Amino acid sequence: MRVEPYTVGDFVHVFNRANRGMVLFPDVSDKWHFLKILRFFNDQYIPQNPSRQLDYLLKSGRMSRHFEWPKDWPPHRPLVKILSYRLRDTHFHLLLKEIIKGGISKFMQRLGDAITKYINKKYNQRGRIFQSAYRGKTVGKDVRILQYLDAYIQVFNAFEDYPGGIERALKEFDKAFKFALRDPFSSLGESFGKRNLGIVDRDVLREIFPSLKIYKEFTYDALLVRNIREILGKLIIEEH
């Protein structure tokens, strides 16, 4: 099953990768565009041809900052809660909460369509860019497991891109954690107020991790003392 059953209130780990082992984001600007899709397409309102309208708003100066909500749009009413994310060159991870019936499904369809049209137009190509439909593992409402999955997405995945890889990152934990915190394509910095893109809503995790210090201590324990992959088990979506 590509996406496990879930209901309103459930948390879902969503993953997708590029088709045929290709690079999903050939340029850093493509990752920034993906973040804009996460921000602006997560809404119950969507204008006709939203990508074109978004480009117009940005170029016309009617949005003072790139991630500011368009003044011409109704107040933000999200389809899902995005708790965390991490973009890599070939794939992405999202931790979502279903807040209205069918919200995740609708949001993921919009996201997939939008990034496919963008990549195909920019690179003068046709066809699908993803290997398959997105995959999703349901966490349910288990907050304990949710904590570990959040650390896996925001920190473990960032560590895998650390110079020298995950093994070196674990040996240089403090330095690698700062690397993850500065990474614009990990939600870690946004989760703890280092930047504000308006993408994440930390929900229950803000109560569990009220400070960056507490979260860092938790991730140290999860990655170095415990085996985070063993804890998460089937919730880890293999990337190959």
Side-chain angles (χ1 to χ4, degrees):
M1 181 178 290
R2 287 290 178 184
V3 184
E4 297 174 344
Y6 55 86
T7 61
V8 172
D10 283 347
F11 300 95
V12 183
H13 175 202
V14 171
F15 168 91
N16 213 342
R17 69 175 300 109
N19 194 23
R20 299 188 302 274
M22 297 169 61
V23 173
L24 182 58
F25 305 110
D27 185 79
V28 68
S29 63
D30 303 330
K31 291 183 178 180
W32 281 111
H33 191 86
F34 188 89
L35 292 185
K36 290 175 187 175
I37 292 172
L38 291 182
R39 166 66 167 138
F40 297 110
F41 283 36
N42 179 23
D43 195 68
Q44 295 179 45
Y45 163 79
I46 201 75
Q48 187 175 11
N49 201 332
S51 295
R52 183 179 298 174
Q53 181 165 342
L54 205 54
D55 287 342
Y56 167 72
L57 289 168
L58 290 170
K59 292 174 182 177
S60 68
R62 294 165 76 185
M63 292 164 60
S64 61
R65 294 191 304 274
H66 285 187
F67 286 85
E68 182 179 336
W69 195 251
K71 294 178 181 178
D72 291 4
W73 290 9
H76 186 37
R77 296 174 61 219
L79 289 165
V80 301
K81 282 188 178 179
I82 303 173
L83 279 79
S84 53
Y85 58 82
R86 176 58 161 75
L87 313 187
R88 302 187 67 183
D89 289 343
T90 61
H91 61 273
F92 66 84
H93 294 267
L94 302 174
L95 181 54
L96 307 178
K97 182 179 182 181
E98 177 87 336
I99 57 174
I100 61 172
K101 187 175 181 180
I104 289 178
S105 177
K106 189 171 186 178
F107 174 63
M108 292 307 299
Q109 182 179 359
R110 282 185 185 173
L111 184 151
D113 289 346
I115 195 64
T116 296
K117 289 177 181 177
Y118 166 81
I119 293 293
N120 280 344
K121 180 180 180 181
K122 181 175 179 179
Y123 295 101
N124 193 27
Q125 60 190 41
R126 294 183 178 181
R128 68 184 191 185
I129 66 169
F130 291 109
Q131 190 175 53
S132 62
Y134 72 93
R135 288 180 280 169
K137 296 282 189 176
T138 302
V139 185
K141 300 173 180 65
D142 189 334
V143 175
R144 176 182 173 272
I145 294 297
L146 184 70
Q147 299 171 59
Y148 285 98
L149 187 54
D150 185 67
Y152 171 76
I153 290 173
Q154 293 193 126
V155 182
F156 186 89
N157 267 271
F159 278 16
E160 289 193 321
D161 286 333
Y162 183 74
I166 186 72
E167 291 185 9
R168 185 173 178 185
L170 294 176
K171 291 177 182 177
E172 303 174 355
F173 183 85
D174 287 344
K175 188 176 178 181
F177 192 85
K178 290 179 181 178
F179 169 86
L181 195 61
R182 292 192 299 266
D183 179 2
F185 307 115
S186 166
S187 55
L188 182 61
E190 187 178 358
S191 295
F192 291 95
K194 302 301 180 182
R195 55 184 173 273
N196 181 21
L197 305 183
I199 296 173
V200 300
D201 184 337
R202 297 291 286 171
D203 199 58
V204 296
L205 290 172
R206 187 176 293 110
E207 299 176 10
I208 299 167
F209 302 117
S211 72
L212 183 61
K213 181 177 182 293
I214 292 172
Y215 188 79
K216 183 180 177 181
E217 290 171 351
F218 173 82
T219 55
Y220 181 91
D221 179 75
L223 273 63
L224 284 169
V225 179
R226 309 174 195 274
N227 186 333
I228 195 169
R229 285 185 174 272
E230 282 188 11
I231 293 170
L232 292 174
K234 69 181 183 68
L235 292 174
I236 295 291
I237 303 175
E238 294 301 325
E239 299 172 1
H240 302 290

Coordinates of all heavy atoms in Angstrom, one line a residue, residues 32 36 39-40 54 58-59 63-70 197:
W32 N 13.8 26.3 -3.4 CA 13.1 27.5 -2.9 C 11.7 27.5 -3.4 O 10.7 27.9 -2.7 CB 13.8 28.7 -3.2 CG 15.0 29.0 -2.3 CD1 16.3 28.9 -2.6 CD2 14.9 29.3 -0.9 NE1 17.1 29.2 -1.4 CE2 16.2 29.4 -0.4 CE3 13.9 29.5 0.0 CZ2 16.5 29.8 0.9 CZ3 14.1 29.8 1.3 CH2 15.5 29.9 1.8
K36 N 7.9 27.5 -1.5 CA 6.8 28.4 -1.8 C 5.5 27.6 -2.1 O 4.4 28.0 -1.6 CB 7.1 29.3 -3.0 CG 8.2 30.3 -2.7 CD 8.6 31.1 -3.9 CE 9.8 32.0 -3.6 NZ 10.3 32.7 -4.8
R39 N 4.1 26.6 1.2 CA 3.5 27.7 1.9 C 2.2 28.1 1.3 O 1.2 28.2 2.0 CB 4.5 28.9 1.8 CG 4.0 30.3 2.2 CD 3.6 30.3 3.6 NE 3.3 31.7 4.0 CZ 2.3 32.1 4.8 NH1 1.5 31.2 5.3 NH2 2.2 33.4 5.2
F40 N 2.1 28.3 0.0 CA 1.0 29.0 -0.6 C -0.1 28.0 -1.1 O -1.2 28.4 -1.3 CB 1.4 29.9 -1.7 CG 2.3 31.0 -1.3 CD1 3.6 31.1 -1.6 CD2 1.8 32.0 -0.5 CE1 4.4 32.1 -1.1 CE2 2.6 33.1 0.0 CZ 3.9 33.1 -0.3
L54 N 0.8 33.6 -8.5 CA 1.8 33.7 -7.5 C 3.0 34.4 -8.1 O 3.6 35.3 -7.5 CB 2.2 32.3 -7.0 CG 2.9 32.3 -5.6 CD1 2.0 32.9 -4.5 CD2 3.1 30.8 -5.2
L58 N 4.5 38.2 -6.9 CA 5.9 38.3 -6.5 C 6.6 39.4 -7.3 O 7.3 40.3 -6.8 CB 6.7 37.0 -6.6 CG 6.3 35.9 -5.6 CD1 7.0 34.6 -6.0 CD2 6.8 36.3 -4.2
K59 N 6.4 39.4 -8.6 CA 7.0 40.3 -9.6 C 6.5 41.7 -9.5 O 7.2 42.7 -9.7 CB 6.9 39.8 -11.0 CG 7.7 38.5 -11.2 CD 7.5 38.0 -12.6 CE 8.3 36.7 -12.9 NZ 8.0 36.1 -14.2
M63 N 3.5 41.6 -2.9 CA 3.9 40.8 -1.7 C 5.2 41.4 -1.3 O 6.2 41.3 -2.0 CB 4.0 39.3 -2.0 CG 2.7 38.7 -2.3 SD 2.9 37.1 -3.1 CE 3.8 36.2 -1.8
S64 N 5.3 42.0 -0.1 CA 6.5 42.7 0.3 C 7.7 41.7 0.6 O 8.8 42.1 0.5 CB 6.3 43.5 1.6 OG 5.9 42.8 2.6
R65 N 7.4 40.5 1.0 CA 8.4 39.5 1.2 C 7.9 38.2 0.5 O 6.7 37.9 0.4 CB 8.6 39.2 2.7 CG 9.2 40.3 3.4 CD 9.7 39.9 4.8 NE 8.6 39.3 5.6 CZ 7.7 40.0 6.3 NH1 7.8 41.3 6.3 NH2 6.7 39.4 7.0
H66 N 8.8 37.4 0.1 CA 8.5 36.2 -0.8 C 7.6 35.2 -0.1 O 6.9 34.5 -0.8 CB 9.8 35.5 -1.2 CG 10.5 36.3 -2.3 ND1 11.6 35.7 -2.9 CD2 10.3 37.5 -2.8 CE1 12.0 36.6 -3.8 NE2 11.3 37.7 -3.8
F67 N 7.6 35.2 1.2 CA 6.7 34.2 1.9 C 5.5 34.8 2.6 O 4.9 34.2 3.4 CB 7.5 33.3 2.8 CG 8.4 32.3 2.1 CD1 9.6 32.6 1.6 CD2 7.9 31.0 1.8 CE1 10.4 31.7 0.9 CE2 8.7 30.1 1.1 CZ 9.9 30.4 0.7
E68 N 5.3 36.1 2.4 CA 4.2 36.8 3.0 C 2.9 36.4 2.3 O 2.9 36.3 1.1 CB 4.4 38.3 2.9 CG 3.3 39.1 3.6 CD 3.5 40.6 3.5 OE1 4.7 41.0 3.3 OE2 2.5 41.4 3.6
W69 N 1.9 36.2 3.1 CA 0.6 35.8 2.5 C 0.0 36.9 1.6 O 0.0 38.0 1.9 CB -0.4 35.5 3.6 CG -1.6 34.7 3.1 CD1 -2.9 35.2 2.9 CD2 -1.6 33.3 2.7 NE1 -3.7 34.2 2.5 CE2 -3.0 33.0 2.3 CE3 -0.7 32.3 2.6 CZ2 -3.3 31.8 1.8 CZ3 -1.0 31.1 2.1 CH2 -2.3 30.8 1.7
P70 N -0.4 36.5 0.3 CA -0.9 37.5 -0.6 C -2.1 38.3 -0.1 O -3.0 37.7 0.4 CB -1.3 36.7 -1.8 CG -0.5 35.4 -1.7 CD -0.4 35.1 -0.3
L197 N 9.0 31.3 7.6 CA 8.5 31.2 6.3 C 7.0 31.0 6.3 O 6.4 31.0 5.2 CB 9.2 30.1 5.5 CG 10.7 30.1 5.5 CD1 11.2 28.9 4.6 CD2 11.2 31.4 4.9

